[in-house]
Amino acid sequence: MATLLRLSLFYAIPIAFLSGLCFAADPAVSYDFKLSYITASPLGVPQQVIAVNGKFPGPTINVTTNYNVIVNVHNGLDEPFLMTWPGIQMRKNSWQDGVIGTNCPILAKWNWTYNFQVKDQIGSFFYSPSLNLQRASGGFGPFVVNNRDIIPVPFGQPDGDIILTIGDWYTRNHTALRSSLDDGKDLGMPDGVLINGKGPFRYNTSLVPDGISYETVNVAPGKTYRFRVHNVGTLTSLNFRIQSHNLLLVETEGTYTVQQNYTSLDIHVGQSFSFLVAMDQNASSDYYIVASARFVNESLWQRVTGVAVLHYSNSKGPATGPLPDPPNDVYDKTMSMNQAKSIRQNVTSSGARPNPQGSFHYGSINVTDSYFLKAVAPVTIDGKLRTSLNGISFHNLTTPVKLADQYNVKGIYKLDFPSKPLDRPPKIDVSLINATYKGFIEVVFQNNDTVMQSFHIDGYSFFVVGMDYGDWTENSRGSYNRWDAISRSTTQVYPGGWTAVLISLDSPGVWNIRTENLDRWYLGQETYMRIVNPEENGETEMAAPANVLYCGALANKQKPQEQSSSAITISRVKLRLLMTILWGVLAYFSILC
Ligand SMILES: *[C@@H]1O[C@H](CO)[C@@H](O)[C@H](O)[C@H]1NC(C)=O
Ligand SMILES: *[C@@H]1O[C@H](CO)[C@@H](O)[C@H](O)[C@H]1NC(C)=O
Ligand SMILES: *[C@@H]1O[C@H](CO)[C@@H](O)[C@H](O)[C@H]1NC(C)=O
Ligand SMILES: *[C@@H]1O[C@H](CO)[C@@H](O)[C@H](O)[C@H]1NC(C)=O
Ligand SMILES: *[C@@H]1O[C@H](CO)[C@@H](O)[C@H](O)[C@H]1NC(C)=O
Ligand SMILES: *[C@@H]1O[C@H](CO)[C@@H](O)[C@H](O)[C@H]1NC(C)=O
Ligand SMILES: *[C@@H]1O[C@H](CO)[C@@H](O)[C@H](O)[C@H]1NC(C)=O
Ligand SMILES: *[C@@H]1O[C@H](CO)[C@@H](O)[C@H](O)[C@H]1NC(C)=O
Ligand SMILES: *[C@@H]1O[C@H](CO)[C@@H](O)[C@H](O)[C@H]1NC(C)=O
Ligand SMILES: *[C@@H]1O[C@H](CO)[C@@H](O)[C@H](O)[C@H]1NC(C)=O
Ligand SMILES: *[C@@H]1O[C@H](CO)[C@@H](O)[C@H](O)[C@H]1NC(C)=O
Ligand SMILES: *[C@@H]1O[C@H](CO)[C@@H](O)[C@H](O)[C@H]1NC(C)=O
């Protein structure tokens, strides 16, 4: 007993120092994620897809805000792997972010345990692989963060939760797609759209081959369901709609929206939305759930359409006839942009804390730094097809930034990312943004590429204050929404247009800014913001976790991983002991809190 107490104190002290006294009172939930290849034929063609625990898509992480989430990722693939958690803010803890600038890859047959807290966030997210186009083969799954009971939700309790991952899909796997890009070729048109890892319902016998398994969503008449829809695809914006049903938009990436009905909504790569859908139809038949390619020539891209079935328990038969129409605006993309601008936050509803979402008056804060990031169509640099931002095509870091800092390894990166495009030829480089802690910054994404792009920033939610076609100018600031702009982590940037976001840099760390279009990302369209707290020499940041992996310039510090069964047995015993101790600590601190 005395030993246990001494041990508890031994663990309690560093834990308390790390995260404040009440950290230990927050519950922890553990997941084991085993990554492997399985054979699946979502579009009728057998192929290797990436499964998590044998499932494609992977299992749902379903937690409550403030939980500590522990995910032991076992890489059963034949190549390095990292899982990332877009939209989960990892406050002051970029060590867990799972991108190549913050983490060494988990080598084939190795495992690594992520451990992070989901703090002050509620909403719909997903996890996905971050390296080497792997997301194009799977490895993704939903990530739901629920409210604590004491925090109200701005709508009635729905009768059920329905999660849909939608995304374009190639019958070629990620290694084949990589070869195309390495050879300087475009990925071309996807072969279809999957909904929850399944191909389309056979709504048209000449367009959809026989024998494809499709997703069926079972519902009861009169009920209202919360649909959480995520575009986990490679590069295609999708228009989402449910035949004869309204989509009442309520949340996007952790922010409650002004509640409005849409007959269809554009969901861009990497984006997540929640809708309430009332089962208010007469069930004369099943209904189509459709995700179709957007901003492309529909007659050429017909096969890039996902179709699932909404089945009422009292349905009188299968869905028949044509799919509900997509928006008819091939020559006028104003409609889509107006729809995007109509998505605003409900400033009076409470977010993850009891205070209103609009209580942070972002519109009246002075901007400290502006970054104008220009994306252009892929170009050849040093004989290779590459993409860039401000003329810099990001060269992958060999050693994570924080580790290089901690061990004082020089020459890993430069802090010279230009705040606007320079008049010089594009180059491949490891340039990061030297961002200022506690700064309030404006980032303008200018899309000079020919395709719709999604841009994402790790570690933060940002206010999407403006978007338009044409070139951004200083006068564009006059059009910013300074009152109820949506706060999210992934925004679309229309081709030939711009999107402006505002961010409060209150979380030190190293945070990835990237396009979510996998081909553009793979070819170098990303950078990082390095944010340190100068007063405390980065001490407000969490320290490196005990299990941190080393690589690159620090590879000699990495011990080999033992994977023998005896090692696992021993570590299980150790784990049990550790858990006993931790529970003691939890009990101790729950009394204090
Ligand atoms: C991907 O496809 C190629 C053929 O295009 C095949 O050689 C390779 O084994 C596949 N990789 C995986 C991991 O399934
Ligand atoms: C998540 O867990 C909550 C309870 O904490 C439960 O009510 C809900 O149905 C679960 N959702 C999913 C998608 O599993
Ligand atoms: C690998 O998994 C084992 C349990 O299977 C665990 O004890 C160990 O901590 C994990 N390794 C890392 C680096 O997280
Ligand atoms: C560079 O890293 C990105 C992810 O950050 C990855 O998609 C890409 O494959 C990497 N490129 C190379 C050449 O390793
Ligand atoms: C905004 O949230 C409040 C508080 O939860 C709610 O009463 C109101 O209906 C919401 N308004 C809209 C337009 O969504
Ligand atoms: C099936 O699709 C083809 C090609 O678009 C079209 O010509 C045909 O009319 C469709 N069939 C039905 C029954 O809708
Ligand atoms: C949305 O549509 C439903 C019918 O599907 C209707 O009952 C509801 O009042 C509408 N809500 C709003 C905010 O327009
Ligand atoms: C059910 O509704 C559809 C239109 O929504 C209508 O065409 C059909 O006649 C209705 N069927 C019955 C049995 O009411
Ligand atoms: C779409 O493609 C078809 C077939 O190539 C062509 O006839 C049509 O003009 C194209 N439509 C547009 C809007 O470009
Ligand atoms: C913002 O800047 C203006 C002038 O540059 C200054 O007058 C104002 O006090 C500043 N506001 C805040 C909140 O710092
Ligand atoms: C980064 O910015 C800080 C001020 O925020 C400055 O002191 C430092 O010199 C900059 N570092 C580099 C390498 O430019
Ligand atoms: C890209 O920039 C060039 C030069 O400013 C301009 O002529 C062209 O229209 C732009 N293209 C797009 C798609 O924005």
Side-chain angles (χ1 to χ4, degrees), residues 105-151:
I106 307 168
L107 300 179
K109 313 303 171 205
W110 285 36
N111 70 292
W112 193 69
T113 309
Y114 290 80
N115 189 338
F116 53 87
Q117 190 176 20
V118 288
K119 192 117 180 88
D120 295 336
Q121 280 188 282
I122 296 169
S124 311
F125 309 92
F126 63 89
Y127 57 83
S128 67
S130 71
L131 299 182
N132 289 321
L133 282 182
Q134 285 160 346
R135 194 176 85 211
S137 281
F140 46 75
F143 194 141
V144 177
V145 184
N146 299 292
N147 58 304
R148 287 181 291 151
D149 285 341
I150 55 161
I151 310 287

Side-chain angles (χ1 to χ4, degrees), residues 374 447-449 471 495-496:
K374 185 172 185 180
N447 183 357
N448 193 246
D449 202 338
D471 287 337

Side-chain angles (χ1 to χ4, degrees), residues 301-508:
W301 282 59
Q302 237 171 356
R303 70 165 192 248
V304 191
T305 302
V307 184
V309 164
L310 183 73
H311 176 77
Y312 279 48
S313 54
N314 61 340
S315 170
K316 293 173 198 71
T320 52
L323 300 178
D325 286 335
N328 177 20
D329 60 349
V330 178
Y331 297 104
D332 176 16
K333 297 183 177 63
T334 321
M335 187 166 131
S336 173
M337 191 181 276
N338 285 344
Q339 182 186 65
K341 288 180 181 173
S342 75
I343 300 169
R344 290 166 294 129
Q345 63 168 308
N346 179 339
V347 292
T348 57
S349 71
S350 59
R353 286 162 176 263
N355 43 319
Q357 292 189 135
S359 60
F360 179 67
H361 297 290
Y362 70 90
S364 55
I365 302 173
N366 286 340
V367 166
T368 55
D369 296 286
S370 288
Y371 299 91
F372 180 83
L373 305 183
K374 185 172 185 180
V376 298
V379 291
T380 302
I381 309 177
D382 302 342
K384 291 208 162 66
L385 185 70
R386 300 287 302 183
T387 51
S388 63
L389 278 178
N390 285 2
I392 299 207
S393 185
F394 199 76
H395 183 289
N396 280 356
L397 290 151
T398 50
T399 311
V401 174
K402 295 303 307 176
L403 271 187
D405 287 352
Q406 186 172 327
Y407 290 94
N408 217 4
V409 186
K410 301 285 177 214
I412 297 297
Y413 61 85
K414 295 187 273 184
L415 282 178
D416 62 350
F417 197 92
S419 60
K420 53 178 184 296
L422 303 177
D423 188 15
R424 65 175 190 208
K427 59 175 182 177
I428 299 177
D429 216 339
V430 278
S431 298
L432 315 187
I433 294 177
N434 181 19
T436 307
Y437 179 54
K438 297 242 164 107
F440 188 73
I441 67 166
E442 171 191 54
V443 179
V444 178
F445 297 103
Q446 179 80 46
N447 183 357
N448 193 246
D449 202 338
T450 52
V451 297
M452 174 72 82
Q453 289 214 304
S454 287
F455 277 92
H456 172 83
I457 301 183
D458 276 350
Y460 291 99
S461 257
F462 47 66
F463 296 95
V464 184
V465 290
M467 57 175 76
D468 209 344
Y469 291 105
D471 287 337
W472 180 90
T473 67
E474 301 217 346
N475 290 337
S476 307
R477 290 188 177 125
S479 71
Y480 285 3
N481 175 351
R482 296 185 183 273
W483 168 240
D484 61 357
I486 195 71
S487 173
R488 63 186 313 162
S489 63
T490 305
T491 182
Q492 71 268 45
V493 189
Y494 290 78
W498 56 269
T499 297
V501 306
L502 299 178
I503 321 168
S504 170
L505 299 184
D506 55 0
S507 175

Side-chain angles (χ1 to χ4, degrees), residues 219-223 243-246 278-287 310-319:
V219 294
K223 306 266 190 213
Q243 188 175 31
S244 306
H245 290 75
N246 272 333
M279 298 305 134
D280 55 4
Q281 296 300 300
N282 61 20
S284 54
S285 70
D286 291 346
Y287 299 92
L310 183 73
H311 176 77
Y312 279 48
S313 54
N314 61 340
S315 170
K316 293 173 198 71

